[in-house]
Amino acid sequence: MELTGIILVVVFFALLLLNVPISISIGVATLLAMLMNMDVTPATITIAQRMVGGLNSFALLAIPFFVLSGLIMGRGGIAKRLIECAMALIGALPGGLALVNVVSCMMFGAISGSAVAATSAIGSFMLPEMKKAGYEPNFSAAVTAAAATTGMLIPPSNILIVYAIASGGVSIAALFMAGYIPGIMVGLALMMVCYGYAKIKGYPLAPRLPLSVVFKKVLQAIPSLFLIILVIGGIVGGIFTPTEAGAIAVVYALLLAVVFYKEVALNALPGIMLKAAETTAIVMLLIAASTAMSWLLSFENIPQTLSNALLTVSDNPLLILLLINLLLIVVGAFLDMTPAVLIFTPIFLPVATQLGMSELQFGIMLVLNLSIGLCSPPVGAVLFITCAIAKTKLENIIKPLLPLYAAMFVVLMLITYVDWFSEALPRALGF
């Protein structure tokens, strides 16, 4: 077991350092580790079977639908209307543009379910506007990177669907409900940092808009925001499943972008669908490869060994949970969210449940940890996109990110040690 685990870890990270795609790195590392226990033919057949079996889940059908709906909304002028709505409501407050940035990322992330999409759509508009208003470009980029990750918690979220599969059957609808309060808490914490930063720096206040203009901007954004009500309301009400909700989201996004807002031409749809297919293929290959690795870990009893080792570190459950959080933050800084969820859920979930944490609470804690990693160097995809939009270097936005990291970490600790934040809404709705 020790040799298999060592080969798995060493080969995996060696391939990552060589810039081999992560799905290929996982697959090759798994194959080489399996060759320690069996011949080439049974090893390759076993990996193929596990990869196919990992994709044999009805719940995974929701992912391509939500990916496609997110891409349509990203091109459909929805981000612009959400920004204008947020600007009308809170733009005149101290740090108004930074607050608008956070709220817009929260709303667009919730609608699209993608941190990368939120970064591109909101950042492309907000970063130039914040620069014009006198905000430091590095601070603006840091705010966008941190705020974009809130869409991982606020449903519909693809990564919550992946966790539901990895955990062995947690209700997707319950997970969606569990993500609302923590996601909003992260957004509010980031807004508090932005407010304080703006007061210290003395950024100018934007003029207050007349109530008629505010009402108009809010009215224009309602059709976009209604998608959340449609999808989540239908799931909670038992009208349709999360997978069916994804299909309905695609239809609604098409109507909104093509017919209502008229921002997407019909001849642009094939390109959008091709991009959705490419993104889905990448995600599915990650899931398939990670499933094979997870099976190997279980076959070698590595999760049980690590779980027992963690439980022997201390008798204090608070300390063990803190250690798990720190490990997950480090993992999130180096590993993509999808394989991280699939690989580390079977390792840490048994420990968390033994310490009295529910599967819902652990899932939200896991996703928030990995969300922090998503905007952390050296691998965080959101960071590189933000730096490209802001035309700045990665090292320049680390310092303004530090107070935002601190705010997210405080929320993480609250979620870790107080189950109410994750479970209040699911309990109230009968999940």
Side-chain angles (χ1 to χ4, degrees), residues 25-57:
S25 300
I26 292 172
V28 171
T30 303
L31 176 60
L32 292 179
M34 288 183 70
L35 290 176
M36 294 298 100
N37 298 312
M38 59 184 77
D39 294 331
V40 174
T41 301
T44 52
I45 291 174
T46 301
I47 287 181
Q49 288 175 336
R50 297 299 165 180
M51 291 179 71
V52 172
L55 298 179
N56 187 22
S57 172

Side-chain angles (χ1 to χ4, degrees), residues 82-404:
L82 293 177
I83 291 171
E84 290 176 348
C85 174
M87 188 80 74
L89 292 172
I90 60 174
L93 296 174
L97 286 180
L99 301 182
V100 168
N101 196 336
V102 175
V103 172
S104 301
C105 283
M106 289 173 66
M107 291 191 294
F108 190 82
I111 291 172
S112 67
S114 169
V116 172
T119 305
S120 302
I122 304 300
S124 298
F125 184 90
M126 287 303 306
L127 292 180
E129 291 298 315
M130 293 177 73
K131 186 176 182 180
K132 288 179 187 176
Y135 287 75
E136 296 175 8
N138 295 327
F139 169 71
S140 303
V143 171
T144 303
T149 63
T150 56
M152 299 293 95
L153 288 169
I154 303 175
S157 169
N158 290 335
I159 200 63
L160 290 178
I161 297 173
V162 174
Y163 170 74
I165 295 167
S167 62
V170 176
S171 167
I172 295 175
L175 274 172
F176 279 3
M177 292 301 101
Y180 268 114
I181 294 177
I184 292 171
M185 287 171 62
V186 173
L188 291 175
L190 296 176
M191 291 173 72
M192 290 173 63
V193 173
C194 293
Y195 182 91
Y197 192 91
K199 294 286 283 187
I200 293 171
K201 293 291 184 179
Y203 288 137
L205 300 178
R208 292 186 178 275
L209 298 176
L211 284 178
S212 59
V213 176
V214 174
F215 180 77
K216 179 182 177 182
K217 297 299 181 183
V218 172
L219 199 63
Q220 289 175 342
I222 285 177
S224 302
L225 293 172
F226 181 73
L227 178 65
I228 301 175
I229 300 172
L230 177 66
V231 170
I232 303 303
I235 294 173
V236 173
I239 301 173
F240 39 72
T241 66
T243 301
E244 293 165 345
I248 290 170
V250 171
V251 174
Y252 185 80
L254 280 171
L255 290 174
L256 210 58
V258 177
V259 179
F260 190 76
Y261 290 148
K262 298 181 180 179
E263 297 275 355
V264 175
L266 288 175
N267 59 9
L269 291 179
I272 295 174
M273 292 181 181
L274 179 61
K275 180 63 177 177
E278 292 174 355
T279 303
T280 301
I282 293 170
V283 172
M284 292 303 177
L285 184 57
L286 279 170
I287 292 173
S290 301
T291 301
M293 180 181 279
S294 297
W295 176 85
L296 177 60
L297 292 172
S298 299
F299 181 77
E300 294 291 336
N301 290 320
I302 293 176
Q304 292 83 349
T305 303
L306 293 176
S307 298
N308 293 334
L310 273 174
L311 291 172
T312 58
V313 169
S314 171
D315 294 330
N316 188 339
L318 302 181
L319 181 59
I320 296 175
L321 288 174
L322 177 61
L323 179 60
I324 291 174
N325 276 300
L326 295 176
L327 289 171
L328 287 173
I329 288 176
V330 173
V331 167
F334 288 92
L335 200 58
D336 187 80
M337 291 187 78
T338 299
V341 167
L342 290 165
I343 293 168
F344 289 95
T345 294
I347 293 175
F348 292 129
L349 180 57
V351 179
T353 52
Q354 286 189 53
L355 297 175
M357 182 178 281
S358 71
E359 293 177 330
L360 282 180
Q361 185 183 5
F362 174 78
I364 299 302
M365 183 190 83
L366 172 66
V367 171
L368 179 50
N369 268 294
L370 299 177
S371 296
I372 295 174
L374 198 61
C375 59
S376 302
V379 179
V382 166
L383 278 184
F384 292 102
I385 295 172
T386 306
C387 289
I389 297 172
K391 298 179 181 178
T392 187
K393 295 181 179 179
L394 179 62
E395 56 267 26
N396 295 336
I397 69 172
I398 299 303
K399 184 177 179 180
L401 264 172
L402 293 178
L404 299 171

Side-chain angles (χ1 to χ4, degrees), residues 45-84:
I45 291 174
T46 301
I47 287 181
Q49 288 175 336
R50 297 299 165 180
M51 291 179 71
V52 172
L55 298 179
N56 187 22
S57 172
F58 181 76
L60 286 177
L61 284 174
I63 292 179
F65 287 128
F66 283 123
V67 167
L68 178 56
S69 66
L71 289 172
I72 293 170
M73 287 181 277
R75 295 273 295 272
I78 291 172
K80 176 184 174 183
R81 287 162 178 83
L82 293 177
I83 291 171
E84 290 176 348

